[in-house]
């Protein structure tokens, strides 16, 4: 068996904080998703097998294959909805997933079953005895045709399409297909930003699906766009400084993006200042503060958490490379940050443009 899944302008500098535009952050993450798909497509073509990613934090979807090794027909077996499966990933397609086993969902696992579908009972010759192996493109279509609705039914139509989890499909290896295996296994998995399947703990039915990383997580960087979590001593794009639950501020219906931004600007600033240990550290380290917002689809699925993060936006787009935790000494693109000069005492402030907010020197 193999597996596949789907997947602002800066305030005045005197305010000592800057906000990376949501569009820029999401664009960078979308580039990761697209890159994962392109790389995966090449790998699938060369290695005759795949398993795919879904979407990534700050929320962008990657719907495409990533290499995964085959599992023998005898290992495929049968699995009821709610079953959690685990295996040891390897780089060898002959051994990857050969130890596929059912585990408790309370334990680490890589796949939660929503539905097994026996395609041999479907009319037509496509899945009949001796039929041709579908291949990656057709399996992707079958995932979209069958698994999205299966996962929606499994979670009670409360699946967050922008959340932590992705819709996955497990399907027979070519050898298994030749032996008559025709089961498609739809379920939930947790792809990383670059498509690797991460371990999950607990059932999706019992979790907030918000796509957030724990406070202190550093997200790696690849060609100026975010990659997968790394140790903060390694090159990275940004660092998660706080996870904010919007329930207390917005107990009712979905708040507009403007309302979320208005709340998170102050909340994230306070949280980041606390995380860094100073209300001037963000400015002194020339870092950018940014946050996520929750759209209607995710809100209806029950997602309520967002992250406040710090990185450094490049003028050309994307992120600079940071080494070291923002709580200590850091390098940005290989050099220590140089704090901008402070405004001198008694400096005259320019007259604001009509309709603009008053200019202040407070931090």
């Amino acid at each position: 068996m193999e597996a596949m899944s789907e997947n602002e302008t800066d305030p005045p500098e005197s305010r000592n904080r800057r906000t990376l535009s949501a569009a820029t952050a999401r664009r960078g993450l979308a580039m990761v998703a697209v890159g994962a798909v392109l790389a995966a497509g090449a790998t699938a073509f060369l290695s005759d097998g795949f398993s795919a990613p879904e979407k990534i934090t700050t929320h962008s979807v990657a719907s495409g294959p990533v290499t995964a090794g085959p599992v023998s027909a005898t290992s495929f077996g049968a699995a009821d909805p709610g079953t959690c499966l685990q295996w040891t990933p390897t780089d060898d397609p002959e051994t990857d997933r050969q130890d596929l086993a059912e585990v408790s969902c309370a334990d680490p696992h890589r796949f939660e079953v929503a539905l097994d579908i026996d395609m041999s009972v479907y009319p037509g010759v496509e899945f009949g005895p001796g039929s041709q192996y579908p291949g990656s493109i057709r399996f992707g279509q079958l995932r979209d045709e069958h698994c999205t609705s299966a996962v929606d039914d499994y979670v009670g139509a409360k699946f967050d399409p922008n959340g932590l989890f992705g819709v996955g499909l497990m399907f027979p290896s070519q050898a298994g297909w030749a032996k008559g295996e025709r089961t498609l296994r739809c379920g939930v998995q947790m792809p990383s930003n670059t498509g690797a399947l991460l371990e999950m703990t607990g059932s999706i039915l019992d979790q907030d699906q918000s796509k957030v990383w724990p406070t202190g997580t550093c997200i790696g960087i690849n060609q100026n766009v975010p990659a997968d979590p790394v140790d903060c001593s390694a090159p990275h794009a940004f660092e998660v400084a706080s996870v904010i639950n919007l329930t207390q501020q917005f107990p009712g219906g979905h708040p507009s993006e403007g309302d979320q931004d208005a709340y998170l600007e102050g909340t994230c600033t306070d949280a980041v200042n606390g995380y860094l240990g100073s209300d001037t550290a963000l400015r002194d380290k020339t870092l950018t503060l940014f946050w996520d917002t929750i759209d209607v689809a995710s809100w209806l699925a029950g997602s309520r958490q967002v992250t406040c993060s710090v990185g450094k936006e490049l003028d050309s787009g994307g992120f600079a490379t940071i080494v070291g935790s923002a709580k200590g000494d850091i390098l940005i693109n290989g050099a220590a940050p140089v704090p901008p000069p402070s405004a001198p005492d008694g400096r005259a402030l320019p007259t604001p443009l009509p309709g603009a907010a008053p200019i202040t020197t407070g931090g």
Side-chain angles (χ1 to χ4, degrees):
M1 181 192 309
E2 303 170 20
M4 165 188 287
S5 85
E6 292 186 313
N7 321 182
E8 294 156 16
T9 59
D10 292 347
E13 190 169 305
S14 60
R15 294 170 68 178
N16 296 342
R17 60 179 180 269
R18 295 159 58 204
T19 306
L20 177 65
S21 70
T24 299
R26 291 176 183 130
R27 243 190 341 263
L29 292 162
M31 290 171 66
V32 175
V34 171
V37 173
L38 294 176
T43 309
F45 177 77
L46 294 172
S47 63
D48 189 30
F50 63 93
S51 139
E54 191 237 32
K55 69 161 272 179
I56 108 177
T57 323
T58 320
H59 309 314
S60 48
V61 179
S63 176
V66 192
T67 300
V71 173
S72 67
T74 55
S75 297
F76 200 113
D80 295 327
T83 299
C84 290
L85 303 174
Q86 177 66 308
W87 61 87
T88 304
T90 73
D91 294 329
D92 182 356
E94 295 303 317
T95 61
D96 190 34
R97 302 176 190 266
Q98 293 298 310
D99 61 348
L100 182 71
E102 179 179 342
V103 298
S104 168
C105 291
D107 295 330
H109 57 276
R110 288 185 168 83
F111 198 89
E112 182 172 347
V113 178
L115 183 68
D116 272 7
I117 304 172
D118 182 1
M119 301 304 294
S120 68
V121 302
Y122 275 61
V125 299
E126 182 179 9
F127 307 103
S131 58
Q132 183 177 357
Y133 191 63
S136 62
I137 294 176
R138 180 58 179 144
F139 276 125
Q141 294 170 340
L142 290 169
R143 178 200 62 207
D144 296 341
E145 292 168 7
H146 297 280
C147 292
T148 301
S149 59
V151 168
D152 274 341
D153 289 343
Y154 176 63
V155 300
K158 293 184 177 181
F159 179 72
D160 184 350
N162 305 312
L164 191 62
F165 305 102
V167 174
L169 168 67
M170 302 187 78
F171 53 90
S173 66
Q174 193 160 1
W177 187 274
K179 294 177 181 179
E181 179 59 70
R182 296 293 187 271
T183 300
L184 299 183
R185 178 163 298 151
C186 299
V188 176
Q189 52 198 28
M190 187 167 70
S192 72
N193 292 354
T194 58
L197 297 186
L198 303 178
E199 290 184 321
M200 309 177 284
T201 302
S203 170
I204 187 176
L205 303 180
D206 304 321
Q207 299 187 48
D208 182 318
Q209 299 172 47
S210 304
K211 188 68 163 64
V212 297
W213 300 105
T215 297
T217 301
C218 287
I219 303 299
I221 190 166
N222 182 12
Q223 298 183 347
N224 296 335
V225 294
D228 293 339
V230 296
D231 188 277
C232 290
S233 62
H236 56 273
F238 62 86
E239 181 174 349
V240 177
S242 182
V243 177
I244 305 296
N245 193 313
L246 298 180
T247 302
Q248 184 173 357
Q249 179 69 16
F250 304 107
H254 176 252
S256 69
E257 185 172 2
D259 286 344
Q260 292 181 61
D261 283 338
Y263 171 66
L264 289 170
E265 180 175 6
T267 303
C268 283
T269 298
D270 291 343
V272 166
N273 287 345
Y275 180 77
L276 299 180
S278 166
D279 60 2
T280 63
L282 191 69
R283 176 183 184 275
D284 292 344
K285 296 180 180 182
T286 70
L287 294 173
T288 307
L289 162 64
F290 63 100
W291 55 82
D292 303 321
T293 56
I294 299 176
D295 67 12
V296 174
S298 298
W299 190 270
L300 292 176
S303 295
R304 297 291 186 272
Q305 297 182 79
V306 299
T307 55
C308 309
S309 303
V310 292
K312 185 174 180 67
E313 183 180 10
L314 295 172
D315 292 338
S316 57
F319 291 84
T321 297
I322 299 175
V323 173
S325 171
K327 294 195 291 185
D329 295 331
I330 62 172
L331 297 176
I332 301 178
N333 287 339
V338 178
S342 299
D345 292 339
R347 174 184 174 184
L349 297 176
T351 302
L353 295 172
I359 297 176
T360 67
T361 57

